[in-house]
Amino acid sequence: MIAPAVQDPSDRTRERRRPDAPIVVGVDGSSHGQAAAHAAISMAWRLSAPVVFVYVRRGPASFLGEPFHQRRLAAEMLAGRRALDDALTTAQRVGVRAGAEQLAGRPARKLVEFARLRGARMLVMGPRRRRFGGSVSRRVIADADRPVLVTGAPTPVA
Amino acid sequence: MGALEEGSAAPRSIVCGVDGTDESRDAALVAATLAHALDARLILAYVAYGSPAGLRQEDAIATCTTSLVALAGALGLDDAVLRVAFGDPAARLLALCEEDQAALLVVGSRGRSALATALIDAAATRDDGWRVPVIVVPRHSRQPLVPATLDRVAALPSGRSCAASSGPSSSRERMPSLR
């Protein structure tokens, strides 16, 4: 394979080169999020790049009141920590440098902002579809300013 | 069988959909950079809805081929495989990926692209076990997949993109199992 010989004119406007630019991947504890994490780890391993797993929780509704709000929040944070720990364990098993972040807010917006702030070379998403309001993947694709990899659906477990 | 499967060898081919737009040129640049880094074969596919009115099929194919050759020449992709097809772009690109057992499909996008959305939906809904990861490249993407693109990818040894303790020692090395 011959490498591209011509530099794109738009390169002048691009971010300064960062050899450690990570691959940012959204995980949510689902099988789709796990598929995204595995794809990101695989890509990071092949590119010798670090990977950052991001779990975005929407946060419980404030009208729940105490103590229900606090309990729901604690449960969401625990779910996020488990999803991130699973992904980190997998990355460490194959020797890929990895980090994890838990954020609060709208998933698509937070992922796009985080990728921009970290100078990510790529965003990785699962293909999960929502019944109403469109998928997070679609919104990320519409708003991202860097390549977005959307994985295929995970293979059903027989 | 997806291409970024755990335990798999390096991907064999990467398909990039192009249509003469600036977005697809950006996508081709990213796909070429990635193919070089992963030591994969690059397939540039020009998919048109159909022959323009008053134009014979042979002439339409020649026009699309000329556009593909010009793009490949401008990016220095002498080894890229060039394909021309007619029909629904999403369906034809996915069919092409399936025929070649492609590792990745790369397309360009501007905002809420209909093609990108159709491909993502297809990836989400297929339940026959076959699937291909899709990379959507926005116009004027601010970060190339492999940072060294900015310093001429040709200067890199094949299969290595940046210094790190992890990663394969050769582009054909098999990735350890993730489980």
Coordinates of all heavy atoms in Angstrom, one line a residue, chain A residues 1-8 10-11 13-15 17-19 21 38 41-43 45-48 90 93-97 119-122 127 129 138 141-142 144-150 152-153 155, chain B residues 4 6 8-10 25-26 29 32 38 40 42 74-76 79 112 117 120-121 123-125 131 133-136 138 140-145 147 150-152 160-162 164 166-168 175 177-179:
Chain A
M1 N 0.8 -1.2 0.0 CA 0.0 0.0 0.0 C 0.9 1.2 0.0 O 1.7 1.4 0.8 CB -0.9 0.0 1.2 CG -1.7 1.3 1.5 SD -2.8 1.7 0.2 CE -3.9 0.3 0.2
I2 N 0.6 2.1 -1.0 CA 1.4 3.3 -1.0 C 0.7 4.4 -0.2 O -0.5 4.6 -0.4 CB 1.6 3.8 -2.5 CG1 2.4 2.7 -3.2 CG2 2.3 5.2 -2.6 CD1 2.6 3.0 -4.7
A3 N 1.4 5.1 0.6 CA 0.8 6.1 1.5 C 0.4 7.3 0.6 O 0.9 7.6 -0.4 CB 1.8 6.5 2.5
P4 N -0.7 8.1 1.2 CA -1.1 9.3 0.5 C 0.1 10.2 0.3 O 0.8 10.5 1.3 CB -2.1 9.9 1.4 CG -2.6 8.8 2.3 CD -1.4 7.8 2.4
A5 N 0.3 10.8 -0.9 CA 1.5 11.6 -1.1 C 1.2 13.1 -1.0 O 2.1 13.9 -0.9 CB 2.0 11.3 -2.5
V6 N -0.1 13.4 -1.1 CA -0.5 14.8 -1.1 C -1.1 15.2 0.2 O -2.0 14.6 0.7 CB -1.5 15.1 -2.2 CG1 -1.9 16.6 -2.2 CG2 -0.8 14.8 -3.6
Q7 N -0.6 16.3 0.8 CA -1.2 16.8 2.0 C -2.4 17.6 1.7 O -2.5 18.4 0.8 CB -0.2 17.7 2.7 CG -0.5 17.9 4.2 CD 0.7 18.6 4.9 OE1 1.6 19.0 4.3 NE2 0.5 18.7 6.2
D8 N -3.5 17.3 2.5 CA -4.7 18.0 2.3 C -4.6 19.5 2.6 O -4.0 19.8 3.7 CB -5.8 17.4 3.2 CG -7.2 17.8 2.8 OD1 -7.4 19.0 2.9 OD2 -8.0 17.0 2.4
S10 N -6.7 21.4 3.8 CA -7.3 21.8 5.1 C -6.5 21.4 6.3 O -6.8 21.7 7.4 CB -8.7 21.1 5.2 OG -8.5 19.7 5.1
D11 N -5.4 20.7 6.1 CA -4.5 20.3 7.2 C -4.0 21.6 7.9 O -3.7 21.5 9.1 CB -3.2 19.6 6.7 CG -3.6 18.1 6.4 OD1 -4.7 17.7 6.8 OD2 -2.8 17.5 5.7
T13 N -5.6 24.0 8.9 CA -6.5 24.4 10.0 C -6.7 23.3 11.1 O -7.4 23.6 12.0 CB -7.9 24.7 9.4 OG1 -8.4 23.4 8.9 CG2 -7.8 25.7 8.3
R14 N -6.0 22.2 10.9 CA -6.2 21.1 11.8 C -5.4 21.3 13.1 O -4.5 22.2 13.2 CB -5.8 19.8 11.2 CG -6.9 19.4 10.1 CD -6.5 18.1 9.5 NE -7.5 17.8 8.5 CZ -7.5 16.8 7.6 NH1 -6.5 16.0 7.6 NH2 -8.4 16.6 6.8
E15 N -5.7 20.5 14.1 CA -5.1 20.6 15.4 C -3.6 20.2 15.2 O -3.2 19.5 14.4 CB -5.7 19.7 16.4 CG -7.2 20.1 16.7 CD -7.9 19.0 17.5 OE1 -7.3 18.0 17.8 OE2 -9.1 19.2 17.7
R17 N -0.3 18.3 15.7 CA -0.2 16.9 15.8 C 0.1 16.5 17.3 O 1.0 17.0 18.0 CB 1.0 16.4 14.9 CG 1.3 15.0 15.0 CD 2.2 14.6 13.8 NE 3.5 15.0 14.1 CZ 4.4 14.1 14.6 NH1 4.0 12.9 14.9 NH2 5.7 14.4 14.8
R18 N -0.6 15.4 17.7 CA -0.4 14.9 19.1 C -0.2 13.4 18.9 O -1.2 12.7 18.7 CB -1.6 15.2 19.9 CG -1.7 16.7 20.2 CD -3.0 17.0 21.0 NE -3.0 16.2 22.2 CZ -4.0 16.3 23.1 NH1 -5.0 17.1 22.9 NH2 -4.0 15.6 24.2
P19 N 1.0 12.9 19.1 CA 1.3 11.5 19.0 C 0.4 10.6 19.9 O 0.1 9.5 19.6 CB 2.8 11.3 19.3 CG 3.3 12.7 19.0 CD 2.2 13.7 19.4
A21 N -2.6 11.3 20.9 CA -4.1 11.6 20.7 C -4.8 10.3 20.9 O -4.6 9.3 20.2 CB -4.4 12.1 19.3
H38 N -14.7 -3.0 22.6 CA -13.8 -4.0 22.0 C -13.3 -3.5 20.6 O -12.1 -3.7 20.3 CB -14.6 -5.3 21.8 CG -14.8 -6.1 23.0 ND1 -15.3 -7.3 23.1 CD2 -14.5 -5.7 24.3 CE1 -15.3 -7.8 24.4 NE2 -14.9 -6.8 25.1
I41 N -10.6 -0.9 21.4 CA -9.4 -1.5 21.9 C -8.6 -2.2 20.7 O -7.4 -2.0 20.6 CB -9.7 -2.6 23.0 CG1 -10.2 -1.9 24.2 CG2 -8.5 -3.4 23.3 CD1 -10.9 -2.9 25.2
S42 N -9.3 -2.8 19.9 CA -8.7 -3.5 18.7 C -8.0 -2.4 17.8 O -6.9 -2.6 17.4 CB -9.8 -4.2 17.9 OG -9.2 -4.8 16.7
M43 N -8.7 -1.3 17.6 CA -8.1 -0.2 16.8 C -7.0 0.4 17.5 O -5.9 0.7 16.8 CB -9.2 0.8 16.5 CG -8.8 1.9 15.5 SD -8.5 1.3 13.8 CE -10.2 1.3 13.2
W45 N -5.0 -1.0 19.6 CA -3.9 -1.9 19.6 C -3.1 -1.9 18.3 O -1.9 -1.8 18.2 CB -4.4 -3.3 19.9 CG -3.3 -4.4 20.0 CD1 -2.6 -4.6 21.1 CD2 -2.9 -5.3 19.0 NE1 -1.7 -5.7 20.9 CE2 -1.9 -6.1 19.6 CE3 -3.3 -5.5 17.7 CZ2 -1.2 -7.1 18.9 CZ3 -2.6 -6.5 17.0 CH2 -1.6 -7.3 17.6
R46 N -3.9 -1.8 17.2 CA -3.3 -1.8 15.9 C -2.6 -0.5 15.6 O -1.6 -0.5 14.8 CB -4.4 -2.1 14.8 CG -5.0 -3.4 14.9 CD -5.9 -3.7 13.7 NE -6.8 -4.9 14.0 CZ -6.3 -6.1 14.0 NH1 -5.0 -6.4 13.9 NH2 -7.2 -7.1 14.3
L47 N -3.1 0.6 16.1 CA -2.5 1.9 15.9 C -1.5 2.3 17.0 O -1.0 3.4 16.9 CB -3.6 3.0 15.7 CG -4.6 2.8 14.6 CD1 -5.6 3.9 14.6 CD2 -3.9 2.8 13.2
S48 N -1.3 1.5 18.0 CA -0.5 1.8 19.1 C -0.9 3.1 19.7 O -0.1 4.0 20.0 CB 1.0 1.9 18.7 OG 1.4 0.7 18.2
T90 N -10.3 -5.2 30.2 CA -10.1 -5.8 28.9 C -9.0 -5.1 28.2 O -8.1 -5.8 27.5 CB -11.4 -5.6 28.0 OG1 -12.5 -6.1 28.7 CG2 -11.2 -6.3 26.7
R93 N -5.7 -6.2 29.6 CA -5.4 -7.6 29.3 C -4.6 -7.7 28.0 O -3.7 -8.6 27.9 CB -6.7 -8.4 29.1 CG -6.5 -9.9 29.1 CD -7.8 -10.6 29.1 NE -8.6 -10.3 30.3 CZ -9.9 -10.1 30.3 NH1 -10.6 -10.2 29.2 NH2 -10.6 -9.9 31.4
V94 N -4.8 -6.8 27.0 CA -4.1 -6.9 25.8 C -3.0 -5.9 25.6 O -2.4 -5.7 24.6 CB -5.1 -6.8 24.6 CG1 -6.0 -7.9 24.5 CG2 -5.8 -5.4 24.6
G95 N -2.8 -5.1 26.7 CA -1.6 -4.2 26.8 C -1.9 -2.9 26.1 O -0.9 -2.2 25.7
V96 N -3.1 -2.5 26.0 CA -3.5 -1.1 25.5 C -3.6 -0.1 26.6 O -4.3 -0.4 27.6 CB -4.8 -1.2 24.7 CG1 -5.3 0.2 24.4 CG2 -4.6 -2.0 23.4
R97 N -2.9 1.0 26.5 CA -3.0 2.0 27.5 C -4.4 2.6 27.5 O -5.0 2.9 26.4 CB -2.0 3.2 27.2 CG -0.5 2.8 27.5 CD 0.4 4.0 27.0 NE 0.3 4.1 25.6 CZ 0.6 5.2 25.0 NH1 0.9 6.3 25.6 NH2 0.6 5.3 23.6
G119 N -8.5 16.2 22.1 CA -7.8 16.1 20.9 C -7.9 14.7 20.3 O -6.9 14.2 19.7
A120 N -9.0 14.0 20.5 CA -9.1 12.6 20.1 C -8.9 12.4 18.6 O -9.3 13.3 17.8 CB -10.4 12.0 20.5
R121 N -8.3 11.3 18.3 CA -8.1 11.0 16.8 C -9.3 10.4 16.3 O -9.5 10.4 15.1 CB -6.9 10.1 16.6 CG -7.0 8.7 17.1 CD -5.8 7.9 16.8 NE -4.7 8.3 17.6 CZ -3.4 7.9 17.5 NH1 -3.1 7.1 16.5 NH2 -2.5 8.3 18.3
M122 N -10.2 9.9 17.1 CA -11.4 9.2 16.6 C -12.3 9.0 17.8 O -11.9 8.8 18.9 CB -11.0 7.8 16.0 CG -12.2 7.0 15.5 SD -11.7 5.5 14.7 CE -10.2 5.0 15.3
P127 N -23.9 0.9 17.9 CA -25.0 1.2 17.0 C -26.4 1.3 17.7 O -27.4 1.3 17.0 CB -25.0 0.1 16.0 CG -24.6 -1.1 16.9 CD -23.7 -0.6 18.0
R129 N -29.9 1.8 19.0 CA -30.9 2.7 18.5 C -32.0 2.9 19.6 O -32.3 2.0 20.4 CB -31.6 2.1 17.3 CG -30.7 1.8 16.2 CD -31.5 1.2 15.0 NE -32.2 2.2 14.4 CZ -33.1 1.9 13.4 NH1 -33.3 0.7 13.0 NH2 -33.7 2.9 12.8
R138 N -26.2 8.8 15.8 CA -26.6 9.7 14.8 C -26.2 11.1 15.2 O -25.7 11.9 14.4 CB -28.1 9.6 14.5 CG -28.5 8.5 13.7 CD -29.9 8.7 13.4 NE -30.5 7.5 12.6 CZ -31.7 7.6 12.1 NH1 -32.4 8.7 12.2 NH2 -32.2 6.5 11.4
I141 N -22.5 11.7 15.0 CA -22.0 11.9 13.7 C -22.3 13.3 13.1 O -21.5 13.9 12.4 CB -22.7 10.8 12.8 CG1 -22.1 9.5 13.1 CG2 -22.5 11.2 11.3 CD1 -22.8 8.3 12.4
A142 N -23.5 13.8 13.5 CA -23.9 15.1 13.0 C -23.1 16.2 13.6 O -22.8 17.3 12.9 CB -25.4 15.3 13.3
A144 N -19.9 15.8 15.4 CA -18.5 15.6 15.7 C -17.6 16.3 14.6 O -18.0 16.5 13.5 CB -18.2 14.1 15.6
D145 N -16.4 16.7 15.0 CA -15.5 17.4 14.1 C -14.3 16.5 13.9 O -13.2 17.0 13.5 CB -15.0 18.7 14.7 CG -14.4 18.6 16.0 OD1 -14.3 17.5 16.5 OD2 -13.8 19.6 16.5
R146 N -14.5 15.2 14.1 CA -13.4 14.2 13.8 C -14.0 12.9 13.4 O -15.2 12.7 13.6 CB -12.5 14.1 15.0 CG -13.1 13.6 16.3 CD -12.4 14.1 17.5 NE -12.4 15.6 17.6 CZ -11.4 16.4 17.8 NH1 -10.2 15.9 18.0 NH2 -11.5 17.7 17.8
P147 N -13.3 12.0 12.9 CA -13.9 10.7 12.4 C -14.6 10.0 13.6 O -14.2 9.9 14.7 CB -12.7 9.9 11.9 CG -11.7 10.9 11.5 CD -11.8 12.0 12.5
V148 N -15.7 9.4 13.2 CA -16.5 8.6 14.2 C -16.7 7.2 13.6 O -17.1 7.0 12.5 CB -18.0 9.2 14.3 CG1 -18.8 8.4 15.3 CG2 -17.9 10.6 14.8
L149 N -16.3 6.2 14.4 CA -16.4 4.8 14.0 C -17.7 4.3 14.8 O -17.8 4.3 16.0 CB -15.2 4.0 14.4 CG -15.1 2.6 13.9 CD1 -13.6 2.1 13.9 CD2 -15.9 1.6 14.8
V150 N -18.6 3.7 14.0 CA -19.8 3.1 14.6 C -19.7 1.6 14.3 O -19.6 1.2 13.1 CB -21.1 3.7 13.9 CG1 -22.3 3.0 14.6 CG2 -21.1 5.2 14.1
G152 N -20.7 -2.4 14.3 CA -21.9 -3.2 14.0 C -22.6 -3.7 15.2 O -22.0 -3.6 16.3
A153 N -23.8 -4.3 15.1 CA -24.5 -4.8 16.2 C -23.7 -6.0 16.8 O -23.1 -6.8 16.0 CB -25.9 -5.3 15.8
T155 N -22.8 -9.7 18.1 CA -23.3 -11.0 17.8 C -24.2 -11.5 18.9 O -23.7 -11.6 20.1 CB -22.1 -12.0 17.5 OG1 -21.3 -11.4 16.5 CG2 -22.7 -13.3 17.0
Chain B
L4 N -12.8 -5.8 12.9 CA -12.1 -5.5 14.1 C -12.4 -6.5 15.2 O -12.4 -6.2 16.4 CB -12.6 -4.1 14.6 CG -12.1 -3.0 13.6 CD1 -12.7 -1.6 14.1 CD2 -10.6 -2.9 13.5
E6 N -12.0 -9.4 17.8 CA -10.9 -9.8 18.7 C -10.2 -11.0 18.2 O -10.8 -11.9 17.6 CB -11.4 -10.1 20.1 CG -12.5 -11.1 20.1 CD -13.3 -11.1 21.4 OE1 -14.1 -10.2 21.5 OE2 -13.1 -11.9 22.3
S8 N -8.4 -11.4 15.8 CA -8.3 -11.5 14.3 C -6.9 -10.9 13.9 O -6.3 -10.2 14.6 CB -9.4 -10.7 13.6 OG -9.3 -9.3 14.0
A9 N -6.5 -11.4 12.7 CA -5.3 -10.8 12.1 C -5.6 -9.4 11.6 O -6.7 -8.9 11.7 CB -4.9 -11.8 10.9
A10 N -4.6 -8.8 11.0 CA -4.7 -7.5 10.5 C -5.8 -7.4 9.4 O -5.9 -8.4 8.7 CB -3.4 -7.0 10.0
R25 N -13.6 13.2 -0.5 CA -12.1 13.3 -0.7 C -11.5 13.2 0.7 O -10.4 12.6 0.9 CB -11.8 14.6 -1.3 CG -10.3 14.8 -1.7 CD -10.0 16.1 -2.4 NE -8.6 16.2 -2.7 CZ -7.7 16.6 -1.9 NH1 -7.9 16.8 -0.6 NH2 -6.4 16.6 -2.3
D26 N -12.1 13.9 1.7 CA -11.6 13.8 3.1 C -11.6 12.4 3.6 O -10.7 11.9 4.2 CB -12.4 14.7 4.0 CG -12.0 16.1 3.9 OD1 -11.2 16.5 3.1 OD2 -12.5 17.0 4.7
L29 N -8.9 10.3 2.1 CA -7.6 10.6 2.7 C -7.5 9.8 4.0 O -6.4 9.2 4.3 CB -7.5 12.1 3.0 CG -6.1 12.6 3.4 CD1 -5.1 12.4 2.3 CD2 -6.2 14.0 3.9
A32 N -7.2 6.1 3.2 CA -5.8 5.7 2.8 C -4.8 5.7 3.9 O -3.9 4.8 4.0 CB -5.4 6.8 1.7
L38 N -2.6 0.1 8.7 CA -3.0 -1.2 9.1 C -2.5 -2.2 8.0 O -2.9 -3.4 8.1 CB -4.5 -1.3 9.2 CG -5.1 -0.4 10.2 CD1 -6.7 -0.5 10.2 CD2 -4.6 -0.7 11.6
A40 N -3.5 -2.6 5.0 CA -4.7 -3.2 4.4 C -4.9 -2.7 2.9 O -4.3 -1.6 2.6 CB -6.0 -2.8 5.2
L42 N -6.7 -0.9 0.0 CA -7.8 0.1 -0.1 C -8.6 0.0 -1.4 O -8.1 -0.2 -2.5 CB -7.1 1.5 -0.1 CG -8.0 2.7 -0.3 CD1 -9.0 2.8 0.9 CD2 -7.2 4.0 -0.4
A74 N -4.5 12.1 -7.4 CA -4.2 13.3 -6.6 C -3.7 12.9 -5.2 O -2.9 13.7 -4.6 CB -5.5 14.1 -6.5
L75 N -4.2 11.8 -4.7 CA -3.8 11.4 -3.3 C -2.6 10.4 -3.3 O -2.2 10.0 -2.3 CB -5.0 10.7 -2.6 CG -6.2 11.7 -2.3 CD1 -7.3 10.9 -1.6 CD2 -5.8 12.9 -1.5
G76 N -2.1 10.1 -4.5 CA -1.0 9.2 -4.6 C -1.3 7.8 -4.3 O -0.4 7.0 -3.8
D79 N -1.9 2.1 -5.5 CA -2.2 0.7 -5.3 C -3.7 0.4 -5.0 O -4.1 -0.7 -4.8 CB -1.4 0.1 -4.1 CG 0.0 -0.3 -4.5 OD1 0.3 -0.2 -5.7 OD2 0.7 -0.8 -3.6
R112 N -26.0 16.0 9.0 CA -26.9 14.8 9.1 C -26.9 14.2 7.7 O -27.9 14.3 6.9 CB -28.2 15.2 9.6 CG -28.2 15.7 11.0 CD -29.6 15.9 11.6 NE -29.5 16.5 12.9 CZ -29.3 15.8 14.0 NH1 -29.2 14.5 14.0 NH2 -29.2 16.5 15.2
T117 N -26.3 8.0 7.8 CA -27.4 7.5 8.6 C -27.9 6.1 8.1 O -28.2 5.2 8.9 CB -28.6 8.5 8.6 OG1 -28.1 9.7 9.1 CG2 -29.7 8.0 9.4
I120 N -25.4 3.5 9.1 CA -25.4 3.2 10.6 C -26.7 2.4 10.9 O -26.6 1.4 11.7 CB -25.5 4.5 11.4 CG1 -24.2 5.3 11.1 CG2 -25.6 4.2 12.9 CD1 -23.0 4.6 11.2
D121 N -27.8 2.7 10.3 CA -29.0 2.0 10.6 C -28.9 0.5 10.1 O -29.3 -0.4 10.8 CB -30.2 2.6 9.9 CG -30.6 3.9 10.6 OD1 -30.1 4.1 11.7 OD2 -31.4 4.7 10.0
A123 N -26.1 -1.2 9.9 CA -25.2 -1.9 10.8 C -25.9 -2.3 12.1 O -25.6 -3.3 12.7 CB -24.0 -1.0 11.2
A124 N -26.9 -1.4 12.5 CA -27.6 -1.7 13.7 C -28.7 -2.8 13.6 O -29.0 -3.5 14.5 CB -28.3 -0.4 14.2
T125 N -29.2 -2.9 12.4 CA -30.4 -3.8 12.2 C -30.1 -5.2 11.7 O -30.9 -6.1 11.8 CB -31.4 -3.1 11.3 OG1 -30.8 -2.8 10.1 CG2 -32.0 -1.9 12.0
R131 N -21.4 -8.0 9.8 CA -21.5 -6.6 10.1 C -20.1 -6.0 9.8 O -19.1 -6.6 9.8 CB -21.8 -6.4 11.5 CG -20.9 -7.0 12.5 CD -21.5 -7.1 13.9 NE -20.6 -7.6 14.9 CZ -20.3 -8.9 15.1 NH1 -20.9 -9.8 14.3 NH2 -19.5 -9.2 16.0
P133 N -17.9 -2.4 10.6 CA -17.8 -1.1 11.3 C -17.7 0.0 10.2 O -17.1 -0.1 9.2 CB -16.5 -1.2 12.1 CG -16.2 -2.6 12.1 CD -16.7 -3.2 10.9
V134 N -18.4 1.1 10.5 CA -18.4 2.3 9.6 C -17.7 3.5 10.2 O -18.0 3.8 11.3 CB -19.9 2.7 9.2 CG1 -19.9 3.8 8.2 CG2 -20.6 1.4 8.7
I135 N -16.8 4.1 9.5 CA -16.2 5.3 9.9 C -16.8 6.4 9.1 O -16.7 6.4 7.9 CB -14.6 5.3 9.8 CG1 -14.0 4.2 10.7 CG2 -14.0 6.6 10.1 CD1 -12.5 4.1 10.7
V136 N -17.3 7.4 9.8 CA -17.9 8.6 9.2 C -16.9 9.8 9.4 O -16.6 10.1 10.5 CB -19.3 8.9 9.7 CG1 -19.9 10.1 9.0 CG2 -20.2 7.7 9.6
P138 N -16.2 13.6 9.0 CA -16.9 14.9 8.8 C -16.0 15.8 7.9 O -14.8 15.6 7.8 CB -17.0 15.5 10.2 CG -16.0 14.9 11.0 CD -15.7 13.5 10.4
H140 N -13.7 18.6 6.8 CA -12.6 19.3 7.5 C -12.4 18.7 8.9 O -12.3 19.4 9.9 CB -12.9 20.8 7.6 CG -13.0 21.5 6.3 ND1 -12.0 21.4 5.4 CD2 -13.9 22.4 5.9 CE1 -12.3 22.1 4.3 NE2 -13.5 22.7 4.6
S141 N -12.3 17.4 8.9 CA -12.1 16.7 10.1 C -10.8 17.3 10.8 O -9.8 17.4 10.1 CB -11.9 15.2 9.9 OG -11.6 14.5 11.0
R142 N -10.9 17.6 12.1 CA -9.8 18.3 12.7 C -8.7 17.4 13.2 O -7.7 17.9 13.7 CB -10.4 19.1 13.9 CG -11.3 20.2 13.4 CD -11.7 21.0 14.6 NE -10.6 21.6 15.3 CZ -10.0 22.7 14.9 NH1 -10.4 23.4 13.8 NH2 -9.0 23.2 15.6
Q143 N -8.9 16.1 13.2 CA -7.8 15.2 13.7 C -7.8 14.0 12.8 O -8.7 13.2 12.8 CB -8.1 14.8 15.1 CG -7.1 13.8 15.7 CD -5.8 14.5 16.0 OE1 -5.8 15.6 16.4 NE2 -4.7 13.8 15.7
P144 N -6.7 13.8 12.1 CA -6.6 12.6 11.3 C -6.5 11.3 12.2 O -6.1 11.4 13.4 CB -5.3 12.8 10.5 CG -4.5 13.7 11.4 CD -5.4 14.6 12.1
L145 N -6.8 10.2 11.7 CA -6.8 9.0 12.5 C -5.4 8.6 13.0 O -5.2 8.2 14.1 CB -7.3 7.8 11.7 CG -8.8 7.8 11.4 CD1 -9.2 6.8 10.4 CD2 -9.5 7.5 12.7
P147 N -1.9 10.5 13.6 CA -1.4 11.8 13.6 C -0.3 12.1 12.6 O -0.2 13.2 12.2 CB -0.9 12.0 15.1 CG -1.7 10.9 15.8 CD -1.9 9.8 14.8
L150 N 0.1 14.4 9.2 CA 0.5 15.8 9.0 C 2.0 15.9 8.6 O 2.4 17.0 8.1 CB 0.2 16.6 10.2 CG -1.2 16.6 10.7 CD1 -1.4 17.5 11.9 CD2 -2.2 17.1 9.6
D151 N 2.7 14.9 8.9 CA 4.1 15.0 8.5 C 4.5 14.0 7.4 O 5.6 13.4 7.4 CB 5.0 14.7 9.8 CG 4.9 15.8 10.8 OD1 4.6 16.9 10.4 OD2 5.2 15.5 11.9
R152 N 3.5 13.7 6.5 CA 3.7 12.8 5.4 C 3.8 11.4 5.9 O 4.7 10.9 6.5 CB 5.0 13.1 4.7 CG 5.1 14.5 4.2 CD 4.6 14.6 2.8 NE 4.7 16.0 2.3 CZ 4.3 16.3 1.1 NH1 3.7 15.4 0.3 NH2 4.4 17.6 0.7
R160 N 3.1 0.9 11.6 CA 3.4 1.6 12.9 C 3.0 3.0 12.8 O 3.4 3.7 11.8 CB 4.8 1.5 13.3 CG 5.3 0.0 13.5 CD 4.7 -0.7 14.7 NE 5.2 -0.1 15.9 CZ 4.8 -0.5 17.1 NH1 3.9 -1.5 17.2 NH2 5.2 0.0 18.2
S161 N 2.3 3.6 13.8 CA 1.9 4.9 13.6 C 2.5 5.9 14.6 O 2.8 7.0 14.4 CB 0.3 5.0 13.7 OG -0.1 4.4 14.9
C162 N 2.6 5.4 15.9 CA 3.2 6.3 16.9 C 3.8 5.4 18.0 O 3.4 4.3 18.1 CB 2.1 7.2 17.5 SG 0.8 6.4 18.3
A164 N 4.6 3.7 21.2 CA 3.8 3.3 22.4 C 4.3 1.9 22.8 O 4.9 1.2 22.0 CB 2.3 3.2 22.1
S166 N 2.3 -0.5 23.7 CA 1.4 -1.6 23.2 C 1.4 -1.7 21.7 O 2.1 -0.9 21.0 CB 0.0 -1.2 23.7 OG -0.4 0.0 23.1
G167 N 0.6 -2.6 21.2 CA 0.5 -2.7 19.7 C 1.3 -3.8 19.1 O 2.2 -4.4 19.8
P168 N 1.0 -4.1 17.9 CA 1.7 -5.2 17.2 C 3.1 -4.9 16.8 O 3.5 -3.7 16.5 CB 0.8 -5.4 15.9 CG 0.3 -4.0 15.7 CD 0.1 -3.4 17.0
M175 N -3.9 -10.2 17.0 CA -4.2 -9.5 18.3 C -4.7 -10.5 19.3 O -5.4 -11.5 19.0 CB -5.4 -8.5 18.0 CG -5.7 -7.7 19.3 SD -7.1 -6.6 19.0 CE -7.5 -6.2 20.6
S177 N -6.7 -12.3 22.4 CA -8.1 -12.3 22.7 C -8.5 -11.3 23.8 O -7.7 -11.1 24.7 CB -8.5 -13.7 23.1 OG -9.8 -13.7 23.6
L178 N -9.7 -10.7 23.6 CA -10.1 -9.7 24.6 C -10.8 -10.4 25.8 O -11.2 -9.7 26.7 CB -11.0 -8.7 23.9 CG -10.4 -7.9 22.8 CD1 -11.5 -7.0 22.2 CD2 -9.3 -7.0 23.4
R179 N -11.1 -11.7 25.7 CA -11.9 -12.3 26.7 C -11.0 -13.1 27.7 O -9.9 -13.5 27.4 CB -12.9 -13.3 26.1 CG -13.9 -12.6 25.3 CD -14.9 -13.5 24.7 NE -15.7 -12.9 23.7 CZ -16.7 -12.0 23.9 NH1 -17.1 -11.8 25.1 NH2 -17.4 -11.5 22.9

